[in-house]
Amino acid sequence: MRSLPLNVKNKCLKLSRKLANLFSRRTRSSRVHKIYRKSAPIPSRADTLGGADVARIPPELWLLIFREATRITPDPFDTTQELSFLEREQTPACQFEAYCTNIRIKRDLALVSRRWNALMREFLYEFVWISHGTQAKALAHTLLLEDLRGAPISSGWYIRRLHIETSTLDRCAPIDIRNILDYASQLVVYTDRHSVKQNAFVPQDPRCTPEEIFSLLTHSSKDLRRLSWKNYDETPLYIQMSALFNRPSAIEYLEITSCTPDHAAYGPPPHFSAIELPALRSLKVEVDDYTFSIFAAWRMPKLRSLSVVSCEFNYRGQGFSLFFQTHGSLLQQLELGHSSSLIESHVLDLARPELELAKWCPNLCEFICSADAEWHWQTPDWIPPHVLLPTHPTVEFIGIRGIDKRLGERDDTFMLLEQLSSLQRAAFPSLRFIRDLSPESHALRTYRPSARVATFWTRLLMTCQEQGVWLEDLHGVNITSRALKRASLDLGKF
């Protein structure tokens, strides 16, 4: 038999393919009609996941689906939400509970199939909360094994937020933290809540010194926005943070806790190098007067919010004054961590220090302090909110912390009422808002308040209304007499 020409064979093949497609369409359509006529049951989840249509979904779309499915509120990577000290932060217990719930959802999704496991790897490692020292060791071991096996991408590359918060007796080994940071090159948030082991009687590993860890943080990650740093030894900060001298940083929030450095071992330098932090907007420090003098030499053109605590109660020191003289004009929000009574109980001659915070901070709009202020014989007619800032001409907002403690300590609320009423007098002529920043006080006022608590808030609200000042709750909502009555009657909310 004679063979067909090549062009005829090609035409036959094309025709056969068209016929096959035509019949397959008819078959599929007939099957669909039969399914609708017979009212077949809904396919199971396993059949749906194993279907061909699901397999055709591109990885980019799966990543968007997983992102929405594993979203946590508030967003742990949104650094703009926590730049103000007025932002209501969750308690560590609530934060950790929300994290555990979220990580269980991610784990369940990662166990569905191999494909989902590979796609969920990014979400499993993006936020790591270390609550035990063994967890840090296990994570460091995993990252090292991946490197030895030649993994194309390390899991540490996906870590964007690292939160270390353990108990005092279960802290992390410094070498484990060092190994984790070696691979976490995309960090956006790094938080250390006093959770790294330090032994002053054992020679320190040169790879784990504070200078090496800080240098690794600043050089490995170009996107670091929030940094909470704890100085565990007596090395001055200008030595630890030397990595920032020649490298502009993108840090927007900086929290530093430091003990008093060993002046005899290091001695003060002839002049402090000027570290440039062009993006820093919020600074929280608990340091000594020597370290304040270091901060005074920093260049922070965008600094707007400051929370300050002197760990040695030296508020009349030269470094403290120099810091506010240099950066005070930039501040719009100031929080003084130590209360007036605490300062006066530790330093007797600081009962009325001659500080000019109002002069050094002319643009201050928001002031945060504690309710723990006492009457003083030098000002018998009124109680200033804080011994370091008794008056200010431009402050429009004052936030009060710890009102619940004052309400619980004494049966008589006269002193507390006088303190809050004193805020509305000539000492703060621009004041427009007073806010209760205590979650416990908010609960005492809104859920079946006692007669004493209800009377206190009613009297304070009447005084604020007479002076034209808005009284706000924890969420920034105005406190009204109607809301106080409804809470007293236990009628709930509308």
Side-chain angles (χ1 to χ4, degrees):
M1 184 176 179
R2 187 178 59 176
S3 61
L4 296 174
L6 182 60
N7 57 349
V8 177
K9 287 185 177 181
N10 293 335
K11 290 181 180 180
C12 293
L13 289 174
K14 291 181 180 179
L15 180 61
S16 63
R17 290 172 184 171
K18 290 181 180 180
L19 291 174
N21 292 333
L22 178 61
F23 284 111
S24 62
R25 290 176 186 173
R26 290 183 177 177
T27 304
R28 284 198 299 267
S29 62
S30 63
R31 288 177 180 173
V32 170
H33 289 298
K34 289 180 180 179
I35 289 174
Y36 280 102
R37 285 198 301 266
K38 294 180 180 179
S39 301
I42 299 175
S44 64
R45 178 173 177 269
D47 295 335
T48 303
L49 292 177
D53 294 336
V54 176
R56 293 195 187 103
I57 297 179
E60 295 79 8
L61 186 55
W62 275 122
L63 292 177
L64 293 177
I65 295 173
F66 290 149
R67 172 60 63 195
E68 294 299 325
T70 60
R71 188 176 298 278
I72 185 173
T73 304
D75 187 359
F77 310 108
D78 186 3
T79 58
T80 61
Q81 292 184 352
E82 302 175 357
L83 293 177
S84 171
F85 298 110
L86 294 177
E87 296 292 339
R88 186 171 65 92
E89 296 184 359
Q90 295 178 321
T91 61
C94 293
Q95 288 181 341
F96 184 65
E97 183 180 356
Y99 170 81
C100 291
T101 303
N102 183 258
I103 203 68
R104 282 194 292 267
I105 295 175
K106 295 178 180 179
R107 179 200 60 189
D108 294 342
L109 292 174
L111 295 176
V112 170
S113 64
R114 291 185 179 180
R115 186 186 183 197
W116 282 26
N117 185 277
L119 294 174
M120 283 298 300
R121 185 182 176 197
E122 171 185 348
F123 304 98
L124 282 170
Y125 285 93
E126 63 180 0
F127 182 14
V128 176
W129 185 309
I130 297 176
S131 57
H132 299 281
T134 53
Q135 295 176 349
K137 188 174 294 296
L139 178 58
H141 183 68
T142 299
L143 299 179
L144 290 172
L145 284 181
E146 289 180 349
D147 191 11
L148 292 175
R149 294 170 181 172
I153 299 179
S154 172
S155 298
W157 191 84
Y158 297 111
I159 300 177
R160 297 173 56 200
R161 178 164 185 169
L162 181 61
H163 187 101
I164 310 172
E165 186 170 1
T166 67
S167 62
T168 305
L169 301 178
D170 192 17
R171 292 178 173 176
C172 305
I175 187 61
D176 295 331
I177 302 302
R178 166 64 195 250
N179 291 333
I180 294 173
L181 294 178
D182 276 333
Y183 297 97
S185 59
Q186 304 295 320
L187 268 182
V188 177
V189 182
Y190 176 81
T191 305
D192 174 18
R193 298 298 183 193
H194 307 182
S195 301
V196 180
K197 292 179 182 178
Q198 294 293 334
N199 192 339
F201 303 100
V202 177
Q204 196 170 23
D205 190 339
R207 298 173 299 170
C208 304
T209 61
E211 305 94 276
E212 289 293 327
I213 298 295
F214 196 89
S215 177
L216 191 61
L217 275 171
T218 55
H219 285 83
S220 62
S221 178
K222 299 179 181 179
D223 298 325
L224 190 63
R225 294 292 188 271
R226 289 178 59 91
L227 174 62
S228 297
W229 179 258
K230 165 64 178 175
N231 182 14
Y232 291 94
D233 57 20
E234 297 180 346
T235 308
L237 278 177
Y238 76 91
I239 296 178
Q240 293 188 10
M241 307 180 73
S242 58
L244 290 178
F245 287 161
N246 301 318
R247 178 186 175 88
S249 174
I251 297 176
E252 299 175 352
Y253 175 92
L254 181 60
E255 180 179 348
I256 295 179
T257 305
S258 176
C259 58
T260 304
D262 189 355
H263 301 282
Y266 295 96
H271 66 279
F272 297 111
S273 302
I275 294 179
E276 185 175 358
L277 297 172
L280 186 66
R281 290 186 285 169
S282 188
L283 178 64
K284 184 176 183 179
V285 292
E286 183 177 348
V287 295
D288 63 309
D289 189 71
Y290 178 79
T291 307
F292 273 118
S293 59
I294 298 176
F295 293 157
W298 289 10
R299 288 194 291 266
M300 300 175 287
K302 292 186 178 181
L303 182 63
R304 296 296 180 268
S305 302
L306 173 68
S307 177
V308 58
V309 171
S310 176
C311 62
E312 57 186 6
F313 294 91
N314 189 9
Y315 289 100
R316 301 180 78 174
Q318 182 179 1
F320 186 82
S321 302
L322 184 60
F323 175 83
F324 278 94
Q325 292 175 21
T326 305
H327 303 293
S329 60
L330 301 173
L331 298 179
Q332 297 179 358
Q333 182 185 95
L334 174 64
E335 178 175 4
L336 297 175
H338 282 154
S339 63
S340 295
S341 60
L342 186 61
I343 294 175
E344 294 176 358
S345 64
H346 281 75
V347 185
L348 298 179
D349 62 349
L350 195 60
R352 285 295 178 267
E354 297 179 359
L355 292 175
E356 299 179 344
L357 284 182
K359 179 181 178 181
W360 296 335
C361 307
N363 300 315
L364 195 63
C365 298
E366 299 176 350
F367 178 55
I368 305 172
C369 61
S370 171
D372 189 13
E374 299 292 344
W375 175 85
H376 195 268
W377 65 271
Q378 292 183 354
T379 55
D381 297 332
W382 65 294
I383 303 176
H386 202 279
V387 65
L388 300 180
L389 190 69
T391 179
H392 198 285
T394 64
V395 168
E396 300 178 355
F397 176 98
I398 293 182
I400 308 295
R401 300 192 190 275
I403 293 181
D404 59 296
K405 297 180 180 178
R406 295 296 303 273
L407 289 174
E409 287 175 354
R410 302 177 182 178
D411 295 333
D412 185 10
T413 60
F414 173 77
M415 296 291 291
L416 180 59
L417 183 62
E418 283 298 312
Q419 176 193 352
L420 298 180
S421 301
S422 300
L423 301 178
Q424 307 148 31
R425 300 181 181 179
F428 295 91
S430 300
L431 184 63
R432 294 295 178 267
F433 305 95
I434 297 177
R435 182 180 297 182
D436 174 20
L437 298 178
S438 170
E440 293 79 7
S441 175
H442 178 79
L444 289 175
R445 183 182 60 254
T446 55
Y447 301 101
R448 298 182 180 181
S450 62
R452 183 174 62 90
V453 173
T455 302
F456 166 77
W457 285 106
T458 302
R459 293 177 60 187
L460 179 60
L461 179 61
M462 293 177 58
T463 306
C464 290
Q465 291 175 343
E466 293 174 358
Q467 301 293 334
V469 177
W470 295 97
L471 183 61
E472 298 179 340
D473 65 4
L474 179 65
H475 307 283
V477 179
N478 297 332
I479 298 176
T480 62
S481 57
R482 182 182 295 273
L484 293 175
K485 290 179 181 179
R486 290 183 63 84
S488 300
L489 297 175
D490 194 24
L491 296 179
K493 300 181 180 179
F494 288 110

